[in-house]
Amino acid sequence: MPLTPPIFILNGPNLNLLGEREPDIYGHASLEDIRLACETKAKALGRRVDFRQSNHEGVLVDWLQEARSQACAVILNAGAYTHTSVALHDAARALAIPLIETHLSNPSARESFRRRSFISPIAQGMVAGFGVLSYLLAIEAAHALAKTRETEHNSEET
Ligand code: DQA
């Protein structure tokens, strides 16, 4: 049986500093801690994750384009680019697979400039405000959405 494509978990700028950066807002877990927790969660659901971080908008665009053919779903924490990037909006728009916007903090409860998201209008849904748990809940959602699509796809083939 062919391997199901992984869930891409894409992290944007400054998330490499997690654990050191504003722990009162983002918690004490490092990005590596989050990666390990995501891998464990995905494994329990019979999924794989491809977990990445970049500080560069264009690299995130490239990864979203790659996800079009290489992922079953995308979990995107675009960091500050969430609130600024039309390029990420357009790249996410071109996805034909589920996209889940994810944040450690709850941007709506913070400064007003964080209330606007260029990702939300095209995401299937958003998980925010639960720290590391946001990622784990997003994996559950991605898994459920991908499973529905896989079941539909299989029944079309038979
Ligand atoms: C963030 C929220 C964004 O507003 C912020 O710019 C980040 C992190 C979060 O995960 O809570 O870098 O995406």
Side-chain angles (χ1 to χ4, degrees):
M1 220 170 72
L3 264 184
T4 320
I7 299 169
F8 273 22
I9 304 183
L10 305 181
N11 295 281
N14 300 308
L15 293 169
N16 54 316
L17 297 180
L18 286 177
E20 298 165 35
R21 173 194 180 209
E22 302 183 272
D24 45 319
I25 296 175
Y26 298 117
H28 292 277
S30 66
L31 194 63
E32 180 62 8
D33 295 333
I34 297 177
R35 184 178 70 76
L36 291 172
C38 286
E39 283 178 359
T40 304
K41 175 74 184 178
K43 205 169 171 192
L45 296 169
R47 294 268 170 197
R48 295 177 297 135
V49 296
D50 190 332
F51 191 97
R52 307 178 187 185
Q53 187 274 333
S54 176
N55 290 327
H56 303 279
E57 189 176 15
V59 172
L60 292 162
V61 169
D62 287 343
W63 288 345
L64 283 171
Q65 291 189 8
E66 185 185 336
R68 284 160 49 83
S69 59
Q70 301 300 319
C72 66
V74 175
I75 292 170
L76 177 61
N77 182 354
Y81 290 140
T82 306
H83 317 298
T84 62
S85 179
V86 177
L88 286 184
H89 172 99
D90 286 347
R93 232 191 151 88
L95 288 170
I97 53 175
L99 168 72
I100 295 136
E101 178 179 356
T102 302
H103 300 282
L104 292 150
S105 67
N106 177 0
S108 302
R110 299 177 61 193
E111 303 96 323
S112 57
F113 62 82
R114 293 185 205 276
R115 292 201 192 120
R116 171 179 211 179
S117 168
F118 282 89
I119 307 302
S120 291
I122 27 138
Q124 206 110 21
M126 202 228 300
V127 190
F130 303 111
V132 180
L133 183 60
S134 290
Y135 282 77
L136 306 183
L137 294 170
I139 289 174
E140 279 199 31
H143 167 64
L145 293 166
K147 201 169 159 189
T148 305
R149 287 169 55 84
E150 285 151 12
T151 312
E152 282 166 8
H153 187 250
N154 290 342
S155 63
E156 272 165 26
E157 278 186 350
T158 52

